[in-house]
Amino acid sequence: MGDQAGTYDAAVERSKKLEAEITAHPENFRVLTGDRPTGRLHIGHYFGSLQNRVRLSKLGVPTCVLIADYQVLTDHDAFAEIAQNTKQLVIDYLAAGITPGKNTIIYPHSYVPEANQLMLPFLTLVSNAELSRNPTVKEEIQAAGLKSVNAGMYTYPVHQACDILFCKATVVPVGKDQLPHLEMTRTIARRFNEKFSPEKPVFPEPQALLSKTPSILGLDGSQKMSKSRGNAIMLCATEDETAALIKKAKTDSERTITYDPVNRPEVANLLMLISLCTDESPEAIAARIGDGGGGLLKKTLTESLNEKLRPIRAERARLEADPAYIRRVLLDGVDAARAMAVDTLQEVRRVMNMEI
Ligand code: TRP
């Protein structure tokens, strides 16, 4: 653990430096981010990663937003709703402020065959042992309680390298759990370059950009916010649903509200959520609520969250009524992604001496 924490601290340090470089020269970088289309997004996604993506693309960093539909098949039996979930994901992205266009594209990776084809050479650059010791993959296997594990589960980190390298992305905004995957991508890029093109590297080694927002707990205050754990507030929830969920949120028996993440994690989490909505410090909010207790804390959160999400929800509703536009966004994204993938695959074939 000590070792891992050390590595994580180093990643945080690197990420801070990277942030400064991106702010100074956004045009020198390319961001690639991705999500699995397993359902709609909640406020944990919004504050934890979506806002950060919006910020980066507004800075002018070319941004690819990838929807990892193939990856859903690694640990979910259900595939009936993949396309529907993909469209809902696009609606959440756009409503949150991601603006598709010249600088920013959104597309499902299953539609980019030339990028997927990189999987074949990449698989030859890693060993079985490396694949089976990936800690995130191990955790996912455990969490999903899989009786038998398909090979896609062990190899998806290699596919993630295809996702990231086909467009020569240099920056990947990630949470802690994705760091082993990014390490695998860097390893593949390095080994590919060393083996096939030592004079002139084909792929950059992309860097992790860690989110500055602390991880957001669910309304139970004890574990990560997630839809499957039933402790999330979805972006698409109504104001009344939001109020009802917050009413049931766990607090503690102490009346006076204070910000104490160690001893009062549930209350601290609610204060943090208010702080993310209003940009005040959680300490200042706690002082203001004081003896108003849990009731006033929840009322304040309900009001500030509903206010923050009101424009996003209105935009969501507008987009939901325009499926043709959502489809257009995806198809335009696919066209742009394929153009990059075709170029990269050609370059890859050339250095592997397979060009005919
Ligand atoms: N593995 C990521 C997840 O589980 C999704 C993903 C697929 C991804 N390809 C990616 C993330 C490329 C970043 C970059 O959420």
Side-chain angles (χ1 to χ4, degrees), residues 186-273:
R186 291 167 58 86
T187 301
I188 289 174
R190 193 167 53 244
R191 289 182 188 163
F192 186 96
N193 293 335
E194 279 165 7
K195 178 166 179 181
F196 297 112
S197 189
E199 304 297 316
K200 185 172 171 284
V202 172
F203 295 113
E205 282 183 47
Q207 290 183 269
L209 188 68
L210 289 157
S211 167
K212 277 176 291 186
T213 310
S215 92
I216 290 156
L217 301 177
L219 293 175
D220 50 5
S222 61
Q223 44 182 349
K224 200 173 135 180
M225 184 174 284
S226 102
K227 190 178 162 202
S228 60
R229 291 174 187 152
N231 62 6
I233 299 175
M234 309 309 287
L235 286 181
C236 63
T238 64
E239 299 202 358
D240 287 345
E241 284 163 358
T242 303
L245 285 165
I246 293 173
K247 207 167 224 163
K248 282 189 293 186
K250 194 156 177 282
T251 52
D252 55 34
S253 55
E254 220 173 298
R255 169 121 197 127
T256 305
I257 298 302
T258 53
Y259 183 64
D260 182 353
V262 175
N263 298 307
R264 306 183 70 187
E266 300 94 351
V267 166
N269 189 49
L270 301 185
L271 286 165
M272 178 54 69
L273 285 171

Coordinates of all heavy atoms in Angstrom, one line a residue, residues 186-273:
R186 N 0.9 3.6 -22.0 CA 2.3 4.2 -22.2 C 3.3 3.1 -22.5 O 4.2 3.3 -23.3 CB 2.7 4.9 -20.9 CG 1.9 6.2 -20.6 CD 2.0 6.7 -19.2 NE 3.4 7.0 -18.9 CZ 4.0 8.1 -19.1 NH1 3.4 9.1 -19.7 NH2 5.3 8.3 -18.8
T187 N 3.1 1.9 -21.8 CA 4.0 0.8 -22.1 C 3.9 0.4 -23.6 O 4.9 0.2 -24.2 CB 3.7 -0.4 -21.2 OG1 3.8 0.1 -19.8 CG2 4.6 -1.6 -21.4
I188 N 2.7 0.3 -24.1 CA 2.5 -0.2 -25.4 C 3.1 0.9 -26.4 O 3.8 0.5 -27.4 CB 1.0 -0.4 -25.7 CG1 0.6 -1.7 -24.9 CG2 0.7 -0.5 -27.2 CD1 -0.9 -2.0 -25.0
A189 N 2.8 2.1 -26.1 CA 3.4 3.2 -27.0 C 4.9 3.1 -27.1 O 5.5 3.1 -28.1 CB 3.0 4.6 -26.5
R190 N 5.5 2.9 -25.9 CA 7.0 2.9 -25.8 C 7.6 1.6 -26.5 O 8.5 1.7 -27.3 CB 7.4 2.9 -24.3 CG 8.9 3.1 -24.1 CD 9.1 3.4 -22.6 NE 8.5 2.4 -21.7 CZ 7.6 2.6 -20.8 NH1 7.0 3.8 -20.7 NH2 7.1 1.6 -20.1
R191 N 6.9 0.5 -26.3 CA 7.4 -0.8 -26.9 C 7.2 -0.7 -28.4 O 8.1 -1.2 -29.2 CB 6.7 -2.0 -26.3 CG 7.2 -2.3 -24.9 CD 6.5 -3.5 -24.3 NE 6.8 -3.6 -22.9 CZ 6.2 -4.4 -22.0 NH1 5.1 -5.1 -22.5 NH2 6.5 -4.4 -20.8
F192 N 6.1 -0.2 -28.8 CA 5.8 -0.1 -30.3 C 6.9 0.8 -30.9 O 7.5 0.4 -31.9 CB 4.4 0.5 -30.6 CG 4.1 0.5 -32.0 CD1 3.3 -0.5 -32.6 CD2 4.6 1.5 -32.9 CE1 3.0 -0.6 -33.9 CE2 4.3 1.5 -34.2 CZ 3.5 0.4 -34.8
N193 N 7.2 1.9 -30.3 CA 8.2 2.8 -30.9 C 9.5 2.2 -30.9 O 10.3 2.2 -31.9 CB 8.2 4.1 -30.1 CG 7.0 5.0 -30.2 OD1 6.2 4.8 -31.2 ND2 6.7 5.8 -29.2
E194 N 9.9 1.6 -29.8 CA 11.3 1.0 -29.7 C 11.4 -0.2 -30.8 O 12.5 -0.3 -31.4 CB 11.5 0.4 -28.3 CG 11.9 1.4 -27.3 CD 11.8 1.0 -25.9 OE1 11.5 -0.2 -25.6 OE2 12.0 1.8 -25.0
K195 N 10.4 -1.0 -30.9 CA 10.5 -2.1 -31.8 C 10.4 -1.7 -33.3 O 11.2 -2.2 -34.1 CB 9.4 -3.1 -31.4 CG 9.4 -4.4 -32.3 CD 8.5 -5.4 -31.7 CE 8.5 -6.7 -32.6 NZ 7.6 -7.7 -32.1
F196 N 9.4 -0.9 -33.6 CA 9.1 -0.7 -35.0 C 9.7 0.6 -35.6 O 9.8 0.7 -36.8 CB 7.6 -0.8 -35.3 CG 7.0 -2.1 -35.0 CD1 6.1 -2.2 -33.9 CD2 7.3 -3.2 -35.7 CE1 5.5 -3.5 -33.6 CE2 6.7 -4.4 -35.5 CZ 5.8 -4.6 -34.4
S197 N 9.9 1.6 -34.7 CA 10.3 2.9 -35.3 C 11.2 3.7 -34.3 O 10.8 4.8 -33.9 CB 9.0 3.7 -35.6 OG 9.3 4.8 -36.3
P198 N 12.3 3.1 -34.0 CA 13.2 3.7 -32.9 C 13.7 5.1 -33.4 O 13.9 5.9 -32.5 CB 14.3 2.7 -32.8 CG 14.3 1.8 -33.9 CD 12.9 1.8 -34.5
E199 N 13.8 5.3 -34.7 CA 14.4 6.6 -35.1 C 13.4 7.7 -34.9 O 13.7 8.8 -34.5 CB 14.8 6.6 -36.6 CG 15.8 5.5 -36.9 CD 17.1 5.7 -36.2 OE1 17.6 6.8 -36.2 OE2 17.7 4.7 -35.7
K200 N 12.1 7.4 -35.2 CA 11.1 8.4 -35.2 C 9.8 7.8 -34.6 O 9.1 7.1 -35.3 CB 10.8 8.8 -36.7 CG 9.9 10.0 -36.9 CD 9.8 10.3 -38.4 CE 8.7 11.3 -38.7 NZ 7.4 10.8 -38.8
P201 N 9.6 8.1 -33.3 CA 8.5 7.5 -32.6 C 7.2 7.8 -33.3 O 6.9 8.9 -33.7 CB 8.5 8.1 -31.2 CG 9.6 9.1 -31.2 CD 10.4 9.0 -32.5
V202 N 6.3 6.8 -33.4 CA 5.0 6.9 -34.0 C 4.0 7.5 -32.9 O 3.2 8.4 -33.2 CB 4.5 5.6 -34.5 CG1 3.0 5.7 -35.0 CG2 5.4 5.1 -35.7
F203 N 4.1 6.9 -31.7 CA 3.1 7.3 -30.7 C 3.7 8.1 -29.6 O 4.8 7.8 -29.1 CB 2.5 6.1 -30.1 CG 1.7 5.2 -31.1 CD1 2.1 4.0 -31.5 CD2 0.5 5.8 -31.6 CE1 1.4 3.2 -32.4 CE2 -0.2 5.0 -32.5 CZ 0.2 3.8 -32.9
P204 N 3.0 9.2 -29.1 CA 3.4 9.8 -27.9 C 3.1 9.0 -26.7 O 2.2 8.1 -26.8 CB 2.6 11.1 -27.9 CG 1.4 10.8 -28.7 CD 1.7 9.7 -29.7
E205 N 3.7 9.2 -25.6 CA 3.3 8.5 -24.3 C 2.4 9.5 -23.6 O 2.8 10.5 -23.0 CB 4.6 8.2 -23.5 CG 5.3 7.0 -23.9 CD 6.5 6.6 -23.0 OE1 6.3 6.6 -21.8 OE2 7.6 6.4 -23.6
P206 N 1.1 9.1 -23.6 CA 0.1 10.1 -23.0 C 0.3 10.2 -21.5 O 0.7 9.2 -20.8 CB -1.2 9.5 -23.4 CG -0.9 8.0 -23.6 CD 0.5 7.9 -24.1
Q207 N -0.1 11.3 -21.0 CA 0.0 11.6 -19.5 C -1.4 11.6 -18.9 O -2.4 12.0 -19.5 CB 0.7 12.9 -19.3 CG 2.1 12.9 -19.6 CD 2.7 14.2 -19.3 OE1 2.8 15.1 -20.1 NE2 3.2 14.4 -18.1
A208 N -1.5 11.2 -17.6 CA -2.7 11.2 -16.8 C -2.9 12.6 -16.3 O -2.0 13.2 -15.7 CB -2.7 10.2 -15.7
L209 N -4.2 13.1 -16.4 CA -4.5 14.4 -15.7 C -5.6 14.0 -14.7 O -6.7 13.6 -15.0 CB -5.1 15.3 -16.7 CG -5.4 16.8 -16.2 CD1 -4.1 17.5 -15.9 CD2 -6.2 17.6 -17.2
L210 N -5.2 14.1 -13.4 CA -6.1 13.6 -12.4 C -7.0 14.7 -12.0 O -6.7 15.9 -11.9 CB -5.3 13.2 -11.1 CG -4.5 11.9 -11.3 CD1 -3.3 11.8 -10.4 CD2 -5.4 10.7 -11.2
S211 N -8.3 14.4 -11.7 CA -9.3 15.4 -11.4 C -9.0 16.0 -10.0 O -8.5 15.3 -9.1 CB -10.7 14.7 -11.3 OG -11.6 15.5 -10.7
K212 N -9.2 17.3 -9.9 CA -8.9 18.0 -8.7 C -10.0 17.8 -7.6 O -9.9 18.1 -6.4 CB -8.6 19.5 -8.9 CG -7.2 19.7 -9.4 CD -7.0 21.2 -9.7 CE -7.8 21.6 -11.0 NZ -7.5 22.9 -11.5
T213 N -11.2 17.5 -8.1 CA -12.4 17.3 -7.2 C -12.2 16.1 -6.4 O -11.9 15.0 -7.0 CB -13.7 17.2 -8.1 OG1 -13.7 18.2 -9.0 CG2 -14.9 17.2 -7.2
P214 N -12.3 16.2 -5.1 CA -12.2 14.9 -4.3 C -13.3 14.0 -4.7 O -14.4 14.4 -5.1 CB -12.4 15.4 -2.9 CG -13.0 16.8 -3.0 CD -12.6 17.3 -4.3
S215 N -13.1 12.7 -4.5 CA -14.1 11.8 -4.9 C -15.4 12.0 -4.2 O -15.5 12.2 -3.0 CB -13.6 10.3 -4.8 OG -14.0 9.8 -3.6
I216 N -16.5 11.9 -4.9 CA -17.8 12.3 -4.3 C -18.5 11.0 -3.8 O -18.7 10.1 -4.6 CB -18.7 13.1 -5.4 CG1 -18.0 14.4 -5.6 CG2 -20.1 13.2 -5.0 CD1 -18.3 15.1 -6.9
L217 N -18.9 11.1 -2.6 CA -19.6 9.9 -2.0 C -21.1 10.0 -2.3 O -21.7 11.0 -2.7 CB -19.5 9.9 -0.5 CG -18.0 9.9 0.1 CD1 -18.0 10.0 1.6 CD2 -17.3 8.7 -0.4
G218 N -21.7 8.8 -2.2 CA -23.2 8.7 -2.4 C -23.9 9.3 -1.3 O -23.3 9.8 -0.3
L219 N -25.2 9.4 -1.3 CA -26.0 10.0 -0.3 C -26.0 9.2 1.0 O -26.4 9.7 2.1 CB -27.5 10.2 -0.8 CG -27.6 11.2 -1.9 CD1 -29.0 11.3 -2.4 CD2 -27.2 12.6 -1.5
D220 N -25.5 8.0 1.0 CA -25.3 7.2 2.2 C -24.0 7.6 2.9 O -23.8 7.2 4.0 CB -25.3 5.7 1.9 CG -24.3 5.4 0.8 OD1 -23.6 6.3 0.3 OD2 -24.2 4.2 0.4
G221 N -23.2 8.4 2.2 CA -22.0 9.0 2.8 C -20.9 7.9 3.1 O -19.9 8.3 3.7
S222 N -21.1 6.7 2.7 CA -20.1 5.7 3.1 C -19.4 5.1 1.9 O -18.3 4.4 2.0 CB -20.7 4.6 3.9 OG -21.7 3.9 3.1
Q223 N -19.9 5.2 0.7 CA -19.2 4.7 -0.5 C -19.3 5.6 -1.7 O -20.1 6.6 -1.7 CB -19.7 3.3 -0.8 CG -21.3 3.2 -0.8 CD -21.8 1.8 -1.0 OE1 -21.1 1.0 -1.5 NE2 -23.1 1.7 -0.8
K224 N -18.6 5.3 -2.7 CA -18.6 6.1 -3.9 C -20.0 6.3 -4.5 O -20.8 5.3 -4.4 CB -17.7 5.4 -5.0 CG -17.2 6.3 -6.1 CD -16.2 5.5 -6.9 CE -16.4 5.7 -8.4 NZ -15.5 5.0 -9.3
M225 N -20.3 7.4 -5.1 CA -21.6 7.6 -5.7 C -21.7 6.7 -6.9 O -20.8 6.8 -7.8 CB -21.9 9.0 -6.0 CG -23.3 9.3 -6.6 SD -23.8 11.0 -6.9 CE -24.1 11.6 -5.2
S226 N -22.8 5.9 -7.0 CA -22.9 5.1 -8.2 C -24.4 4.7 -8.3 O -25.1 4.4 -7.3 CB -22.0 3.9 -8.2 OG -22.7 2.7 -7.8
K227 N -24.9 4.7 -9.6 CA -26.3 4.4 -9.8 C -26.6 3.0 -9.3 O -27.7 2.8 -8.6 CB -26.5 4.5 -11.3 CG -28.0 4.4 -11.7 CD -28.1 4.5 -13.2 CE -29.4 4.1 -13.7 NZ -29.4 3.7 -15.1
S228 N -25.7 2.0 -9.5 CA -26.0 0.7 -9.1 C -26.1 0.5 -7.6 O -26.7 -0.4 -7.1 CB -25.0 -0.3 -9.7 OG -23.7 0.0 -9.3
R229 N -25.5 1.4 -6.9 CA -25.5 1.3 -5.4 C -26.7 2.1 -4.8 O -26.9 2.2 -3.6 CB -24.3 1.9 -4.8 CG -23.1 1.0 -5.1 CD -21.8 1.6 -4.6 NE -20.7 0.7 -5.0 CZ -19.5 1.2 -5.3 NH1 -19.2 2.4 -5.1 NH2 -18.5 0.4 -5.7
G230 N -27.5 2.7 -5.7 CA -28.7 3.4 -5.3 C -28.5 4.6 -4.4 O -29.4 5.0 -3.7
N231 N -27.3 5.2 -4.5 CA -27.0 6.4 -3.7 C -26.7 7.6 -4.5 O -26.0 8.5 -4.0 CB -25.9 6.0 -2.7 CG -24.6 5.7 -3.5 OD1 -24.5 5.9 -4.7 ND2 -23.6 5.3 -2.8
A232 N -27.2 7.6 -5.8 CA -26.8 8.7 -6.7 C -28.0 9.7 -7.0 O -29.2 9.3 -6.9 CB -26.3 8.1 -8.0
I233 N -27.7 10.9 -7.4 CA -28.7 11.8 -8.0 C -28.3 11.9 -9.4 O -27.2 12.4 -9.8 CB -28.6 13.2 -7.3 CG1 -28.9 13.0 -5.8 CG2 -29.6 14.1 -7.9 CD1 -28.7 14.3 -5.0
M234 N -29.2 11.5 -10.3 CA -28.9 11.6 -11.7 C -29.1 13.0 -12.2 O -29.9 13.8 -11.7 CB -29.9 10.7 -12.5 CG -30.0 9.2 -12.0 SD -28.4 8.4 -11.8 CE -28.0 8.1 -13.5
L235 N -28.3 13.3 -13.3 CA -28.5 14.7 -13.9 C -29.9 14.9 -14.4 O -30.4 16.0 -14.3 CB -27.5 14.8 -15.0 CG -26.0 15.0 -14.7 CD1 -25.2 15.2 -16.0 CD2 -25.8 16.2 -13.8
C236 N -30.5 13.8 -14.8 CA -31.8 13.9 -15.4 C -33.0 13.9 -14.4 O -34.1 14.0 -14.7 CB -32.1 12.8 -16.5 SG -32.0 11.2 -15.8
A237 N -32.7 13.7 -13.1 CA -33.7 13.7 -12.1 C -34.5 15.0 -12.1 O -33.9 16.1 -12.4 CB -33.1 13.4 -10.7
T238 N -35.8 14.9 -11.7 CA -36.5 16.2 -11.5 C -36.1 16.9 -10.2 O -35.5 16.3 -9.4 CB -38.1 15.9 -11.5 OG1 -38.3 15.2 -10.3 CG2 -38.5 15.1 -12.7
E239 N -36.6 18.1 -10.1 CA -36.3 18.9 -8.8 C -36.9 18.2 -7.6 O -36.3 18.1 -6.5 CB -36.8 20.3 -8.9 CG -36.0 21.0 -10.1 CD -36.0 22.5 -10.0 OE1 -36.6 23.1 -9.0 OE2 -35.4 23.2 -10.8
D240 N -38.2 17.6 -7.8 CA -38.8 16.9 -6.7 C -38.1 15.7 -6.3 O -37.9 15.3 -5.2 CB -40.3 16.6 -7.0 CG -41.1 17.9 -7.0 OD1 -40.7 18.9 -6.5 OD2 -42.3 17.9 -7.6
E241 N -37.7 14.9 -7.4 CA -36.9 13.7 -7.1 C -35.6 14.0 -6.3 O -35.2 13.3 -5.4 CB -36.6 13.0 -8.4 CG -37.8 12.2 -9.0 CD -37.5 11.9 -10.5 OE1 -36.5 12.2 -11.1 OE2 -38.4 11.2 -11.1
T242 N -35.0 15.1 -6.8 CA -33.7 15.5 -6.1 C -34.0 15.8 -4.6 O -33.3 15.4 -3.7 CB -33.2 16.8 -6.8 OG1 -33.0 16.4 -8.2 CG2 -31.9 17.2 -6.2
A243 N -35.1 16.6 -4.4 CA -35.4 16.9 -3.0 C -35.7 15.7 -2.2 O -35.2 15.5 -1.0 CB -36.6 17.8 -3.0
A244 N -36.4 14.7 -2.7 CA -36.8 13.5 -2.0 C -35.5 12.7 -1.7 O -35.4 12.1 -0.6 CB -37.8 12.7 -2.8
L245 N -34.6 12.6 -2.6 CA -33.4 11.8 -2.4 C -32.5 12.5 -1.3 O -32.0 11.8 -0.4 CB -32.6 11.7 -3.7 CG -33.1 10.8 -4.8 CD1 -32.4 11.0 -6.1 CD2 -32.8 9.3 -4.3
I246 N -32.4 13.8 -1.4 CA -31.6 14.5 -0.4 C -32.2 14.3 1.0 O -31.5 14.2 2.0 CB -31.4 15.9 -0.8 CG1 -30.5 16.0 -2.0 CG2 -30.7 16.7 0.4 CD1 -30.3 17.3 -2.7
K247 N -33.6 14.4 1.1 CA -34.3 14.2 2.4 C -33.9 12.9 3.0 O -33.7 12.8 4.3 CB -35.8 14.2 2.1 CG -36.6 14.7 3.3 CD -38.0 15.0 2.9 CE -38.4 16.3 3.5 NZ -39.6 16.9 2.9
K248 N -33.7 11.9 2.2 CA -33.3 10.6 2.8 C -31.8 10.4 3.1 O -31.4 9.4 3.6 CB -33.8 9.4 1.9 CG -35.3 9.2 2.0 CD -35.7 7.9 1.2 CE -35.5 8.1 -0.3 NZ -35.9 7.1 -1.2
A249 N -31.0 11.4 2.7 CA -29.6 11.3 2.8 C -29.2 11.1 4.3 O -29.8 11.6 5.2 CB -28.9 12.5 2.2
K250 N -28.1 10.3 4.5 CA -27.7 10.0 5.9 C -26.9 11.2 6.4 O -26.1 11.9 5.7 CB -26.8 8.8 5.8 CG -26.5 8.2 7.2 CD -26.1 6.7 7.1 CE -25.8 6.2 8.4 NZ -24.5 6.5 9.0
T251 N -27.2 11.6 7.7 CA -26.4 12.6 8.4 C -26.0 12.0 9.7 O -25.8 10.8 9.8 CB -27.2 13.9 8.6 OG1 -28.4 13.7 9.2 CG2 -27.4 14.7 7.3
D252 N -25.8 12.8 10.8 CA -25.5 12.2 12.1 C -26.4 12.8 13.1 O -27.2 13.7 12.9 CB -24.0 12.2 12.3 CG -23.5 13.6 12.2 OD1 -24.2 14.5 12.6 OD2 -22.3 13.7 11.8
S253 N -26.1 12.5 14.4 CA -27.0 12.9 15.4 C -26.6 14.3 16.1 O -27.3 14.8 16.9 CB -27.1 11.9 16.5 OG -25.8 11.6 16.9
E254 N -25.4 14.7 15.6 CA -25.0 16.0 16.2 C -25.7 17.2 15.5 O -25.8 17.2 14.3 CB -23.5 16.1 15.9 CG -22.7 16.7 17.1 CD -21.2 16.6 16.8 OE1 -20.7 15.5 16.7 OE2 -20.6 17.7 16.7
R255 N -26.2 18.1 16.3 CA -27.1 19.1 15.7 C -26.3 20.2 14.9 O -26.6 20.5 13.8 CB -27.9 19.8 16.9 CG -28.6 21.1 16.4 CD -30.1 21.1 16.6 NE -30.7 22.2 15.8 CZ -31.7 22.0 15.0 NH1 -32.2 20.8 14.8 NH2 -32.1 23.0 14.3
T256 N -25.2 20.7 15.6 CA -24.5 21.8 14.9 C -23.7 21.3 13.7 O -22.9 20.3 13.8 CB -23.5 22.5 15.9 OG1 -24.3 22.8 17.1 CG2 -22.8 23.7 15.3
I257 N -23.8 21.9 12.6 CA -23.1 21.5 11.4 C -21.7 22.0 11.4 O -21.5 23.2 11.5 CB -23.9 22.0 10.1 CG1 -25.3 21.4 10.1 CG2 -23.1 21.7 8.9 CD1 -25.4 19.9 10.1
T258 N -20.8 21.1 11.2 CA -19.3 21.5 11.1 C -18.8 20.6 9.9 O -19.3 19.6 9.6 CB -18.5 21.1 12.4 OG1 -18.8 19.7 12.7 CG2 -18.9 22.0 13.5
Y259 N -17.7 21.2 9.4 CA -17.0 20.4 8.2 C -15.9 19.6 8.8 O -14.8 20.1 9.2 CB -16.5 21.4 7.2 CG -15.9 20.7 6.0 CD1 -16.7 19.9 5.2 CD2 -14.6 20.9 5.7 CE1 -16.1 19.2 4.1 CE2 -14.0 20.2 4.6 CZ -14.8 19.4 3.8 OH -14.3 18.8 2.7
D260 N -16.1 18.3 8.9 CA -15.1 17.4 9.5 C -15.2 16.1 8.7 O -15.8 15.1 9.2 CB -15.5 17.2 11.0 CG -14.6 16.3 11.7 OD1 -13.6 15.8 11.1 OD2 -14.7 16.2 13.0
P261 N -14.5 16.1 7.6 CA -14.5 14.9 6.7 C -14.1 13.6 7.4 O -14.6 12.5 7.0 CB -13.6 15.2 5.6 CG -13.3 16.7 5.7 CD -13.6 17.1 7.1
V262 N -13.2 13.6 8.4 CA -12.8 12.4 9.0 C -13.8 11.8 10.0 O -14.2 10.7 9.9 CB -11.4 12.6 9.8 CG1 -11.0 11.4 10.5 CG2 -10.4 13.0 8.8
N263 N -14.4 12.7 10.9 CA -15.3 12.2 11.9 C -16.8 12.3 11.5 O -17.6 11.6 12.0 CB -15.1 13.0 13.2 CG -13.7 12.7 13.7 OD1 -13.3 11.6 13.9 ND2 -13.0 13.8 14.0
R264 N -17.1 13.2 10.5 CA -18.5 13.3 10.1 C -18.6 13.2 8.5 O -18.9 14.2 7.9 CB -19.0 14.7 10.6 CG -18.8 14.9 12.1 CD -19.4 16.2 12.6 NE -20.9 16.2 12.5 CZ -21.7 17.2 12.7 NH1 -21.1 18.4 13.0 NH2 -23.0 17.1 12.7
P265 N -18.2 12.1 8.0 CA -18.1 12.0 6.5 C -19.4 12.3 5.8 O -19.4 12.9 4.7 CB -17.7 10.5 6.3 CG -18.0 9.8 7.5 CD -17.9 10.8 8.6
E266 N -20.6 11.9 6.4 CA -21.8 12.1 5.7 C -22.1 13.6 5.5 O -22.5 14.1 4.5 CB -23.0 11.4 6.4 CG -22.8 9.9 6.5 CD -22.2 9.5 7.8 OE1 -21.7 10.4 8.6 OE2 -22.2 8.2 8.1
V267 N -22.0 14.3 6.7 CA -22.3 15.7 6.7 C -21.3 16.4 5.8 O -21.6 17.3 5.0 CB -22.2 16.3 8.1 CG1 -22.2 17.8 8.2 CG2 -23.4 15.8 8.9
A268 N -20.0 16.0 5.9 CA -19.0 16.7 5.1 C -19.2 16.5 3.6 O -19.0 17.4 2.8 CB -17.6 16.1 5.4
N269 N -19.8 15.3 3.2 CA -20.0 15.1 1.8 C -21.1 16.0 1.3 O -21.1 16.6 0.2 CB -20.4 13.6 1.6 CG -20.5 13.2 0.1 OD1 -19.6 13.5 -0.7 ND2 -21.7 12.6 -0.2
L270 N -22.2 16.2 2.1 CA -23.3 17.1 1.7 C -22.8 18.6 1.6 O -23.1 19.3 0.7 CB -24.5 17.0 2.7 CG -25.1 15.6 2.8 CD1 -26.3 15.6 3.7 CD2 -25.5 15.0 1.5
L271 N -21.9 18.9 2.6 CA -21.3 20.3 2.5 C -20.5 20.5 1.2 O -20.5 21.5 0.6 CB -20.5 20.5 3.8 CG -21.3 20.8 5.1 CD1 -20.3 20.7 6.3 CD2 -21.9 22.2 5.0
M272 N -19.7 19.4 0.9 CA -18.9 19.5 -0.3 C -19.7 19.6 -1.5 O -19.4 20.4 -2.4 CB -18.0 18.2 -0.4 CG -17.1 18.0 -1.6 SD -16.0 19.4 -1.8 CE -14.9 19.1 -0.4
L273 N -20.9 18.9 -1.6 CA -21.7 19.1 -2.7 C -22.3 20.5 -2.9 O -22.3 21.1 -4.0 CB -22.9 18.1 -2.7 CG -22.5 16.6 -3.0 CD1 -23.7 15.7 -2.6 CD2 -22.1 16.5 -4.4

